Amino acid sequence: MPEKTLHFPNPRLLHDLYCGREDNLAEVEKALSVKLVTREDWLQVQGAEKAIEKVETLFNNLREGRSHGMFVNNADFRNLLRAVANGHSQQLQALYEKPHLIQVKNRSIVPRSINQKKYLEAIGKKDIVFGIGPAGTGKTYLAMAAAIDALLKEEVEKLILTRPAVEAGEALGFLPGDLREKIEPYLRPLYDAMYDILGRERSVKLIEREIIEIAPLAYMRGRTLSKAFIILDEAQNTTPEQMMMFLTRMGDSSRMVITGDITQVDLPARIHSGLKQVIKVLRGVKDISFIYLEGQDVVRHPIVQNIIEAYQRFADEKENQTITEGHN
């Protein structure tokens, strides 16, 4: 059986590339039909020649990503393994050849998939960008990273972060606390992303100085937002009227990113999603970009990608069954 030994600069690097987890090496053996033996700073691979090449490609890409500031976690490893196993190694190479790097404080934020890279590139070039895809694909986090980067570089004067509090409905008035305490749970994902990237203490200071504003979508009505980076999160829960209202708030020297998952609309059945409608209305409009992220772009726990794919299969089967019954 063919065999090849991959050598690394030091044991620590090799250990970090597979996250120090023996189960990740076991996943490589299972996915690529190889046998692995590792000692110190080398990894021995036994298997078919093409399988050995895939293992080499996997670890080369991991090393390349690390050299560009990518911290490899368990989800990264499993997602990259899946991409290599499915024959997407050329896409991975394109991802790392010209990396899109965002440096915030002492940390580097890099896209983990081709679609994420396209998303960040679009945010850097277009005035309005729509990031559409399932949970865990980095839509909000990457938009927040780009927004904070623009703020720190003084490309904009303030950040405005908003989302509809659609779940609150008429019950909002019955919740305890003042208005801020009532709406804060609906804005928590934006806070979480901001704290993770910028740090809690610095974030709080910028919020107190009103350089960063976090508010429900209803607060945007009647305003003109100039010299700002504006993020609308959970946009699938806007109505068509709310979406138009939000988009027309854009003022001079501003940029907008709108994120959402059109498969998870929480609006009442009789109300149409503003995000679904705007895809049709604004398609082809200059300086507006629509970027679609998919299950393969999920950067959370690997099982999240499996859950999304399972639900998609279920939905497809249900739709096919409905069509078949209609023909009958």
Side-chain angles (χ1 to χ4, degrees), residues 252-271:
D252 183 53
S253 301
S254 285
R255 297 152 66 182
M256 283 183 169
V257 177
I258 298 94
T259 71
D261 178 2
I262 56 176
T263 68
Q264 294 191 25
V265 177
D266 298 314
L267 294 167
R270 67 183 184 278
I271 299 179

Side-chain angles (χ1 to χ4, degrees), residues 181-249:
E181 291 171 328
K182 291 177 181 181
I183 64 176
E184 196 170 79
Y186 303 100
L187 304 173
R188 179 51 54 186
L190 294 172
Y191 279 100
D192 290 343
M194 179 174 55
Y195 290 163
D196 185 66
I197 296 169
L198 198 55
R200 186 183 184 91
E201 183 177 347
R202 192 171 185 185
S203 298
V204 170
K205 288 181 179 179
L206 291 173
I207 292 172
E208 290 175 348
R209 293 167 56 193
E210 298 186 349
I211 293 175
I212 295 180
E213 176 185 347
I214 305 178
L217 181 59
Y219 280 32
M220 299 299 108
R221 189 173 299 278
R223 300 177 61 183
T224 299
L225 308 174
S226 300
K227 298 180 181 178
F229 196 120
I230 311 126
I231 298 175
L232 170 60
D233 195 33
E234 297 290 337
Q236 75 275 7
N237 290 327
T238 62
T239 65
E241 293 78 15
Q242 287 175 325
M243 178 62 75
M244 181 178 178
M245 178 275 292
F246 172 77
L247 292 172
T248 54
R249 299 309 91 199

Side-chain angles (χ1 to χ4, degrees), residues 36 44 48 62 74 77 83 93 99 116 120 145 160 182 188 210 229 232 248 284 286 321 327:
L36 302 179
Q44 186 183 80
L62 288 166
N74 191 51
F77 186 89
Q93 186 177 358
Q116 286 192 351
L120 282 179
I160 299 175
K182 291 177 181 181
R188 179 51 54 186
E210 298 186 349
F229 196 120
L232 170 60
T248 54
K286 185 180 178 182
Q321 183 179 0
H327 287 320

Side-chain angles (χ1 to χ4, degrees), residues 21-52:
R21 296 182 55 154
E22 296 296 327
D23 58 329
N24 278 339
L25 295 181
E27 284 295 319
V28 175
E29 291 181 324
K30 180 180 177 181
L32 302 180
S33 300
V34 295
K35 180 175 176 56
L36 302 179
V37 177
T38 180
R39 294 285 189 278
E40 297 296 327
D41 60 354
W42 54 264
L43 178 68
Q44 186 183 80
V45 189
Q46 294 179 351
E49 289 186 4
K50 288 187 177 181
I52 292 176

Side-chain angles (χ1 to χ4, degrees), residues 46-276:
Q46 294 179 351
E49 289 186 4
K50 288 187 177 181
I52 292 176
E53 289 177 3
K54 287 187 175 183
V55 174
E56 194 169 9
T57 296
L58 171 65
F59 279 88
N60 283 342
N61 277 291
L62 288 166
R63 289 180 64 177
E64 189 72 16
R66 189 176 176 82
S67 71
H68 292 305
M70 175 179 170
F71 174 78
V72 180
N73 59 33
N74 191 51
D76 294 328
F77 186 89
R78 299 292 180 97
N79 290 331
L80 289 171
L81 172 59
R82 179 178 296 202
V84 171
N86 292 336
H88 298 153
S89 58
Q90 288 185 340
Q91 292 185 5
L92 290 176
Q93 186 177 358
L95 178 63
Y96 297 127
E97 277 180 348
K98 296 181 180 179
H100 190 108
L101 176 67
I102 294 178
Q103 190 77 36
V104 178
K105 295 176 63 178
N106 295 324
R107 62 179 301 184
S108 300
I109 298 169
V110 294
R112 267 68 181 268
S113 71
I114 292 296
N115 287 334
Q116 286 192 351
K117 183 179 180 182
K118 290 178 180 178
Y119 181 44
L120 282 179
E121 289 175 342
I123 292 174
K125 296 176 181 177
K126 300 289 186 176
D127 294 332
I128 299 178
V129 175
F130 289 83
I132 302 169
T137 50
K139 305 183 301 295
T140 302
Y141 191 88
L142 292 176
M144 185 70 74
I148 291 173
D149 185 48
L151 179 66
L152 296 181
K153 291 179 177 177
E154 299 184 351
E155 295 173 1
V156 295
E157 294 181 355
K158 68 182 304 181
L159 304 187
I160 299 175
L161 316 172
T162 185
R163 65 181 294 189
V166 64
E167 300 93 339
E170 296 299 323
L172 188 64
F174 296 97
L175 294 175
D178 57 23
L179 182 59
R180 180 174 179 177
E181 291 171 328
K182 291 177 181 181
I183 64 176
E184 196 170 79
Y186 303 100
L187 304 173
R188 179 51 54 186
L190 294 172
Y191 279 100
D192 290 343
M194 179 174 55
Y195 290 163
D196 185 66
I197 296 169
L198 198 55
R200 186 183 184 91
E201 183 177 347
R202 192 171 185 185
S203 298
V204 170
K205 288 181 179 179
L206 291 173
I207 292 172
E208 290 175 348
R209 293 167 56 193
E210 298 186 349
I211 293 175
I212 295 180
E213 176 185 347
I214 305 178
L217 181 59
Y219 280 32
M220 299 299 108
R221 189 173 299 278
R223 300 177 61 183
T224 299
L225 308 174
S226 300
K227 298 180 181 178
F229 196 120
I230 311 126
I231 298 175
L232 170 60
D233 195 33
E234 297 290 337
Q236 75 275 7
N237 290 327
T238 62
T239 65
E241 293 78 15
Q242 287 175 325
M243 178 62 75
M244 181 178 178
M245 178 275 292
F246 172 77
L247 292 172
T248 54
R249 299 309 91 199
M250 188 171 181
D252 183 53
S253 301
S254 285
R255 297 152 66 182
M256 283 183 169
V257 177
I258 298 94
T259 71
D261 178 2
I262 56 176
T263 68
Q264 294 191 25
V265 177
D266 298 314
L267 294 167
R270 67 183 184 278
I271 299 179
H272 296 291
S273 167
L275 181 59
K276 287 185 176 181

